[in-house]
Amino acid sequence: MNIDLGRYSARYSAIVLVIICVLGLLPQPSPAAQQLAGSLSYQPSLFFIENVGQFAPGARFQGWGGTGALWLAQDALWLTLVEDSSFMPSIQPDAQLEAEPRRAVNLKLSFIGANPHPGIEPSHRLETRLSYFTGNDPASWRADVPVWGSVRYTNLYPGVDLVVGAAPGQSHPWQLEAHDGANLSNVQLRVEGAEELAIENNHLRLLTAAGQFTLPLLSIESAAQPQTSVRHVGEQVFDISSPFVAAPPADPAKLERQTGQADASFILAYATYLGGSFYERGRDMAVDSAGNVYLVGSTQSPDFPTTPGVPGEFYYGGDYDAFVAKLNNSGSALEFATFLGGVGDDWGNDYGYGVAADAGGKVYVTGWTDSRAFPVTSGAYDTTYNGGYYDSFAAKLNATGAALLYATYLGGVDQEKGGDIEADSAGNAYLTGWTASPDFPSVAADSNFDTFQGGESDVFVAKLNSAGSALEYALFVGGSDLEIGTRLAVDAGGYAYLTGWTESSDFPWRLAIDATLDGDTDAFVACVRSSGSNLFYSTYLGGSNDEIGWSIALDGARNAYIVGATNSTDFPVTAGAFDNSFNGGNVDAFVAKLSASTLHYATYLGGAGDEQGYGIAVDGAGNAYVTGDLGKDVITRLDPTGSTVDYRFTLDSFENNVGDGIAVDAQGAAYVLAYASYQTLPTTPGAFDATPNHIWLAKAAAPALITGQVTDGNGLPLSGIHIAAGSLYSATTNASGQYTLTVPGGKHTFAPTAPGYFWSPASRSAAVPPAATGQDFAGKSIAKEVTPGGNRAVDYGSALTYTVRLVAPQDKTVLLYDPVPSYTTFISGSVSAPPGVGYDAASNAISGTITLTLNLPLTVTFQARVEVTGTADWAPRIVNRACAHPPGSGLSACEWSDETINYTYVWPIYLPLVMR
């Protein structure tokens, strides 16, 4: 096979040393990224997992979300730094999934002369649910482990606390908090495990066995800048006096995040990283009807360090664990993350590769493992490891990720790898992958498909019942040579559609578009009947060289869409296809749409370099969304005929990164899971994790429009007014006061942000598409409120408090007129106002001259007593509004505030008063 399968194998000769600490530094934004400032809610990218028995006993908390491992112990903070070789395991059957050893070092950070037993108090409990199903002993499983936003070491020194993690309103990753009378001169930090240490630009620069590393000095709110100094006191031991830098309180409005520029055809709704301390790779994703995203992949988790400065090769307890995670529909919070794998002496590999979610939120996972202690459940179909290099596995979790409903092996004496999983409405799971085991379990009605066909491997497809206790069917698909199954899709009738590649000239074809192996390797498409008895159709797909089918999707008419890679110049493109010529380089992506016996379209998709398509999704209109290794294109969308690329989502920084998976929702928004090999991709304000890592998730949507007009209190247009929907989308009014806000589909809350006005309404919300029109705002200089407010009813004789607020976008003088409302009596002496404003008995109003200063609100308050007399109305309304007008003008020039309204209680006891 000539196609480079570098999507999964190590292809980087340079070793990049980790220089970004979990405590610290964000990289410089890429040239394509811009910085947006805005008010941010508390969304920590570094959070702390409490140790409730899932970690070594010496650790109290693990910091998660950076690029090194951070452990919080009673007497020290430990950092494990490791080389980043961008290792990517291979899917090829002859490749062993073993990480190349990486050098690492443990740094111990402690405080000299500090309290040896400080209190350790977590704070800001997060809603994220973390669960650890590791090992085959359920007693060792830990579900719903507490997750915190920050941890405080109390009374570290007398009157001095250490806070690790960014609390709300803070941006620095670790801070000292000094109480009144605290002596900071005693604070000294000891760093053990570094070969060299120096202070540069308020950071500690360390040279270690794993490379160069920088760590920010602690922050403390202080007006004085301390003098920090370093002493080398022993081999790999350094003491730092005054290891902190004076910093003013953080202003959340000035915090920044990276955001990207996209082609105008798509808008970046959100973008976030997701990762732990070391290497992660996301492999598949699914999106539910609410827009929540489910991810599966593999991660490496380090052991708690015991010795500072150890420079040896770094290995991982359990090597790789599979993980499954759920992010909310705004990409701002991790709903849950659950880990699956071996434990203890079982240093196995566990890889998550396919994920699905059903309508009830239950999550299905497949992949492969060589852990003899994988967390299989009682009553599962197969609870014993079968031998060979790997077994495939299937697991099902509840909607919170905190309960393992079942987990089972699926394999034979050789090796298997589970590639994909889907679920039906009854909770049955459909799986595909490949096996080299002649005794792989087969439950098929057709003798042509119930035995291993030979060669290096066959594709398997299986249906597992909803309890995970039995196979409904399992069959082989293959010929006498090699087959690899990559992905599958399942239609509403239970037919399973597979893709992958084959080297067999006797691959079992049915109703084929192409019944001949044209090169060494062809992509294939196969459809298995709902009974699992045999194939409904199957076909080769390729030219005279090599092809791989990487992913498959279905539309409502059961047409199959395939994306993959080809290096054939005679790939069977169709007339009118978007691109009918091989573009150069070693390999092009291809996209094809087919059904039984019919190739609806097939097209190349590429440029002068090397391209491969790894993920495909289809919307309700039959548009195909593609991601992969496609240069700067994160998403390429083909129209239903395959003749036009009608939308692209492009980021300059995406080049050299890889889209692993894609999904599309009912509104046409696309979700992309990418491997961030160069960690330069943008994140959006409010994203769950802005710290660069290997997993990147983004939502992109076609633009939708919100339009309206902004006027002043007299109905005249206001130009130059900024309208913002969050921190990412904004517009400015033109000379007619009109604006057009371009946003992705969904519900948005937006408001004017120009100072000097009271806005009516204060904000608006709209769901788009379709376009939301008539979203108008009025910018007034006067606002009126009453207590009790909100159209509240009041009793006879009670007091109402009225507040008038005035503001202006520039200095000006106005006359205030605020009549005391009907059915009330002014309470003498109740006015609180600037000089010259008071109660005028003749007009029964609050009035006077007020000078307004630029953007500085002025307030006038008064009280009136409810006096419901002289009317036959049962419960009359008390209505009031105030006005401001220029000096020398009359009430006809008034700018009126909104009305305040109260209703009155008038019980029979008051009827004599009412009927006078």
Side-chain angles (χ1 to χ4, degrees):
M1 182 180 297
N2 296 322
I3 293 179
D4 179 8
L5 301 182
R7 176 189 182 195
Y8 300 112
S9 57
R11 286 293 184 267
Y12 301 101
S13 58
I15 301 292
V16 181
L17 298 179
V18 174
I19 61 172
I20 304 171
C21 173
V22 278
L23 285 175
L25 303 178
L26 293 177
Q28 294 299 313
S30 65
Q34 60 176 345
Q35 296 292 325
L36 288 184
S39 180
L40 300 180
S41 60
Y42 176 52
Q43 300 292 348
S45 58
L46 172 66
F47 55 81
F48 298 90
I49 305 166
E50 189 169 345
N51 185 6
V52 294
Q54 78 276 21
F55 301 136
R60 295 287 300 275
F61 296 88
Q62 182 193 40
W64 199 61
T67 51
L70 171 64
W71 298 92
L72 306 186
Q74 181 73 42
D75 60 345
L77 282 67
W78 289 82
L79 284 168
T80 301
L81 315 177
V82 63
E83 294 173 330
D84 182 3
S85 61
S86 297
F87 169 73
M88 295 179 289
S90 171
I91 196 174
Q92 299 175 77
D94 56 348
Q96 300 307 311
L97 301 182
E98 296 179 358
E100 298 176 2
R102 292 189 283 168
R103 297 179 67 81
V105 64
N106 295 320
L107 298 181
K108 181 180 180 182
L109 311 178
S110 59
F111 290 87
I112 301 171
N115 180 359
H117 302 289
I120 302 181
E121 300 175 355
S123 62
H124 312 110
R125 176 72 182 266
L126 305 181
E127 295 183 0
T128 300
R129 307 169 76 114
L130 291 186
S131 300
Y132 295 81
F133 299 113
T134 52
N136 55 7
D137 180 6
S140 67
W141 298 349
R142 297 292 184 266
D144 266 347
V145 174
V147 182
W148 306 89
S150 62
V151 176
R152 178 185 295 269
Y153 286 77
T154 62
N155 203 31
L156 182 69
Y157 292 93
V160 179
D161 293 350
L162 169 66
V163 180
V164 186
Q170 297 174 325
S171 59
H172 203 276
W174 60 342
Q175 310 94 32
L176 290 175
E177 291 188 2
H179 308 296
D180 292 341
N183 184 2
L184 294 176
S185 64
N186 294 327
V187 178
Q188 293 188 72
L189 174 67
R190 171 163 288 177
V191 177
E192 300 176 66
E195 297 173 357
E196 297 179 11
L197 188 150
I199 298 175
E200 293 180 359
N201 299 321
N202 294 326
H203 284 72
L204 301 178
R205 182 179 60 79
L206 304 95
L207 182 64
T208 75
Q212 185 171 286
F213 175 73
T214 58
L215 174 68
L217 292 172
L218 288 101
S219 173
I220 189 167
E221 293 182 14
S222 173
Q225 176 65 49
Q227 295 296 317
T228 304
S229 60
V230 176
R231 290 186 302 124
H232 190 181
V233 297
E235 185 177 359
Q236 296 190 349
V237 180
F238 299 85
D239 290 348
I240 302 100
S241 61
S242 300
F244 45 82
V245 61
D251 179 3
K254 294 182 179 179
L255 299 180
E256 295 182 341
R257 294 292 186 268
Q258 297 183 54
T259 185
Q261 299 285 357
D263 184 290
S265 300
F266 277 106
I267 292 177
L268 192 61
Y270 69 73
T272 182
Y273 284 100
L274 176 69
S277 304
F278 292 100
Y279 172 80
E280 286 84 28
R281 182 75 184 261
R283 293 299 188 177
D284 192 23
M285 67 183 304
V287 177
D288 65 21
S289 59
N292 302 300
V293 177
Y294 303 81
L295 306 174
V296 71
S298 306
T299 182
Q300 293 175 320
S301 299
D303 287 334
F304 181 68
T306 57
T307 306
V310 173
E313 294 177 345
F314 189 72
Y315 294 95
Y316 301 89
D319 278 4
Y320 285 87
D321 276 350
F323 75 84
V324 58
K326 177 183 178 183
L327 275 84
N328 69 350
N329 58 11
S330 64
S332 62
L334 181 65
E335 299 285 340
F336 70 73
T338 300
F339 301 90
L340 300 167
V343 72
D345 294 333
D346 175 32
W347 286 56
N349 297 291
D350 310 285
Y351 296 97
Y353 218 86
V355 66
D358 64 23
K362 297 181 179 66
V363 186
Y364 303 75
V365 183
T366 192
W368 61 85
T369 179
D370 64 356
S371 295
R372 276 65 174 171
F374 191 80
V376 292
T377 51
S378 176
Y381 168 72
D382 185 353
T383 59
T384 305
Y385 187 80
N386 293 281
Y389 287 119
Y390 297 99
D391 269 4
S392 62
F393 71 81
K396 181 177 179 179
L397 295 98
N398 72 348
T400 66
L404 191 57
L405 302 181
Y406 68 72
T408 181
Y409 292 108
L410 186 62
V413 295
D414 206 313
Q415 63 172 325
E416 288 76 30
K417 292 179 181 176
D420 203 6
I421 191 168
E422 293 292 340
D424 64 20
S425 59
N428 302 301
Y430 300 75
L431 301 106
T432 194
W434 59 264
T435 178
S437 299
D439 62 340
F440 184 87
S442 178
V443 182
D446 189 328
S447 60
N448 292 322
F449 300 99
D450 64 3
T451 58
F452 185 72
Q453 302 301 306
E456 294 182 49
S457 62
D458 273 2
V459 174
F460 71 80
V461 58
K463 180 180 178 182
L464 191 63
N465 71 356
S466 60
S469 59
L471 288 174
E472 301 288 335
Y473 68 73
L475 63 150
F476 298 99
V477 179
S480 57
D481 211 314
L482 174 144
E483 280 79 29
I484 298 292
T486 55
R487 294 293 181 193
L488 89 163
V490 178
D491 68 21
Y495 281 66
Y497 301 73
L498 322 173
T499 193
W501 71 88
T502 177
E503 297 179 2
S504 298
S505 60
D506 56 348
F507 186 83
W509 54 267
R510 300 285 187 275
L511 301 175
I513 297 165
D514 182 355
T516 304
L517 180 71
D518 297 301
D520 292 334
T521 301
D522 270 1
F524 72 82
V525 182
C527 176
V528 178
R529 296 182 184 275
S530 59
S531 63
S533 57
N534 54 27
L535 296 177
F536 172 42
Y537 73 80
S538 60
T539 185
Y540 294 103
L541 188 62
S544 57
N545 278 344
D546 300 318
E547 283 75 30
I548 292 174
W550 280 121
S551 189
I552 189 169
L554 299 175
D555 64 17
R558 303 202 302 180
N559 297 304
Y561 298 72
I562 299 88
V563 69
T566 177
N567 58 13
S568 298
T569 58
D570 58 347
F571 184 80
V573 295
T574 50
F578 166 70
D579 185 352
N580 56 19
S581 299
F582 189 79
N583 293 280
N586 296 311
V587 59
D588 265 5
F590 74 80
V591 182
K593 174 183 176 181
L594 58 88
S595 56
S597 302
T598 304
L599 182 62
H600 297 288
Y601 72 72
T603 181
Y604 290 104
L605 195 63
D610 295 343
E611 293 83 24
Q612 297 196 54
Y614 294 137
I616 191 166
V618 183
D619 66 18
N623 299 296
Y625 299 70
V626 176
T627 193
D629 188 358
L630 300 172
K632 298 178 181 180
D633 285 359
V634 185
I635 302 167
T636 303
R637 192 177 93 170
L638 284 158
D639 76 345
T641 68
S643 62
T644 304
V645 170
D646 56 2
Y647 287 120
R648 293 181 189 271
F649 173 40
T650 301
L651 291 172
D652 287 343
S653 58
F654 195 74
E655 195 163 21
N656 299 317
N657 297 286
V658 174
D660 275 321
I662 191 167
V664 62
D665 65 21
Q667 289 73 42
Y671 303 75
V672 177
L673 170 66
Y675 175 74
S677 59
Y678 286 87
Q679 303 180 358
T680 57
L681 295 173
T683 58
T684 51
F688 166 68
D689 188 352
T691 304
N693 208 283
H694 288 302
I695 298 175
W696 186 74
L697 176 69
K699 176 183 177 181
L705 301 181
I706 298 171
T707 61
Q709 186 182 36
V710 181
T711 57
D712 66 14
N714 295 312
L716 299 176
L718 289 174
S719 63
I721 302 299
H722 192 66
I723 311 290
S727 302
L728 204 57
Y729 313 108
S730 63
T732 302
T733 58
N734 60 19
S736 300
Q738 297 172 333
Y739 71 91
T740 298
L741 190 63
T742 304
V743 295
K747 186 175 182 180
H748 299 273
T749 299
F750 49 97
T753 58
Y757 297 97
F758 298 111
W759 295 106
S760 179
S763 65
R764 289 186 177 273
S765 293
V768 289
T773 60
Q775 305 298 307
D776 299 341
F777 294 93
K780 300 186 176 184
S781 295
I782 184 167
K784 185 73 182 288
E785 60 190 48
V786 62
T787 303
N791 292 341
R792 291 278 299 278
V794 293
D795 291 320
Y796 178 88
S798 62
L800 296 172
T801 300
Y802 289 95
T803 302
V804 184
R805 303 185 190 278
L806 299 104
V807 71
Q810 67 277 326
D811 295 351
K812 68 177 183 179
T813 300
V814 298
L815 295 178
L816 172 67
Y817 173 70
D818 188 359
V820 175
S822 301
Y823 315 125
T824 69
T825 300
F826 173 72
I827 298 175
S828 176
S830 67
V831 175
S832 172
V837 176
Y839 174 67
D840 177 36
S843 61
N844 192 30
I846 310 299
S847 61
T849 301
I850 296 178
T851 299
L852 300 177
T853 303
L854 176 65
N855 299 330
L856 183 63
L858 287 176
T859 301
V860 176
T861 62
F862 70 94
Q863 286 190 319
R865 181 172 290 110
V866 178
E867 300 280 358
V868 183
T869 60
T871 178
D873 291 345
W874 180 252
R877 297 191 311 163
I878 301 174
V879 181
N880 185 237
R881 60 176 181 163
C883 102
H885 59 92
S889 64
L891 295 181
S892 61
C894 266
E895 179 185 336
W896 291 96
S897 70
D898 293 336
E899 290 183 334
T900 63
I901 300 175
N902 288 98
Y903 294 87
T904 55
Y905 284 126
V906 182
W907 303 107
I909 191 172
Y910 296 136
L911 282 178
L913 296 172
V914 172
M915 298 301 294
R916 285 179 188 170

